[in-house]
Amino acid sequence: TEAKRTRFSLLGIMPMRILPLIIFISVFFFNTTTSMAVANNIDAELESCISKASSTQDMNNCLDIAQKAWEKETDKTIFSLKSKLNKESYKKLKKSQELWEEYKISELQTIDNLIEQKHGTIYLNLQKGFKVDITKQRTLLLKQYLNTIDED
């Protein structure tokens, strides 16, 4: 009957289709939560610095500090990954990072070209903010890789 099919679907098939999704969500949120601790720290320092800034130049200095913090965190994460990966996997990660660095250079040039067309010092803040975000995104992705490896 229809009632039995509905009950079967809810108890039998649905959980089997949902299980991979539940696992993915669990892993994603674990990794994101762990990675976000670093993000929250750097972002909190940036926010604090900007709240004390009295000029666009001061804000740019805050963004420069954040950029350096993300770059340092990227290096630390790659170093941690190196100690956990076999030689072949690390070689591939290193190649991936080199290609990402090429992408980053190209993306930064694009940002510079876009902002160059704008007038006003606030656009310099946007320009630096975009650049910080590119490095931040890569760092958080590398941290998710590291967290995935550390899961056991």
Side-chain angles (χ1 to χ4, degrees):
T1 67
E2 185 64 32
K4 282 186 179 181
R5 269 198 307 264
T6 302
R7 193 172 124 221
F8 176 74
S9 292
L10 292 174
L11 297 176
I13 295 171
M14 290 289 277
M16 295 308 288
R17 287 186 177 166
I18 293 174
L19 185 60
L21 180 62
I22 292 170
I23 291 169
F24 170 78
I25 290 170
S26 299
V27 168
F28 177 78
F29 281 116
F30 171 78
N31 285 339
T32 301
T33 302
T34 307
S35 299
M36 291 311 291
V38 170
N40 288 341
N41 186 37
I42 295 173
D43 289 344
E45 289 178 22
L46 175 59
E47 188 176 318
S48 173
C49 184
I50 287 177
S51 71
K52 296 172 190 168
S54 60
S55 69
T56 305
Q57 183 58 45
D58 290 342
M59 290 180 196
N60 282 337
N61 291 338
C62 295
L63 289 159
D64 287 339
I65 292 167
Q67 179 69 28
K68 288 177 184 148
W70 282 116
E71 289 169 355
K72 182 178 178 182
E73 200 60 40
T74 299
D75 293 342
K76 279 175 41 179
T77 305
I78 289 173
F79 183 78
S80 295
L81 283 163
K82 181 180 182 180
S83 69
K84 296 176 187 284
L85 295 172
N86 62 41
K87 273 188 174 182
E88 187 61 30
S89 294
Y90 178 69
K91 186 177 174 182
K92 289 179 181 178
L93 173 67
K94 194 172 168 184
K95 180 65 176 172
S96 170
Q97 186 63 18
E98 289 168 4
L99 291 171
W100 180 83
E101 290 287 343
E102 290 176 21
Y103 157 80
K104 178 183 169 188
I105 289 167
S106 177
E107 196 67 18
L108 297 181
Q109 290 170 347
T110 299
I111 291 167
D112 289 343
N113 290 335
L114 291 172
I115 298 301
E116 183 179 90
Q117 300 175 32
K118 303 303 283 180
H119 302 288
T121 56
I122 192 64
Y123 291 105
L124 298 175
N125 293 129
L126 286 173
Q127 179 182 31
K128 287 192 180 273
F130 290 145
K131 291 177 177 185
V132 169
D133 283 343
I134 290 168
T135 304
K136 175 182 176 178
Q137 290 169 10
R138 176 63 176 177
T139 305
L140 292 177
L141 179 62
L142 291 169
K143 287 204 160 292
Q144 287 180 344
Y145 295 163
L146 181 62
N147 292 338
T148 299
I149 290 169
D150 285 343
E151 286 178 356
D152 280 335

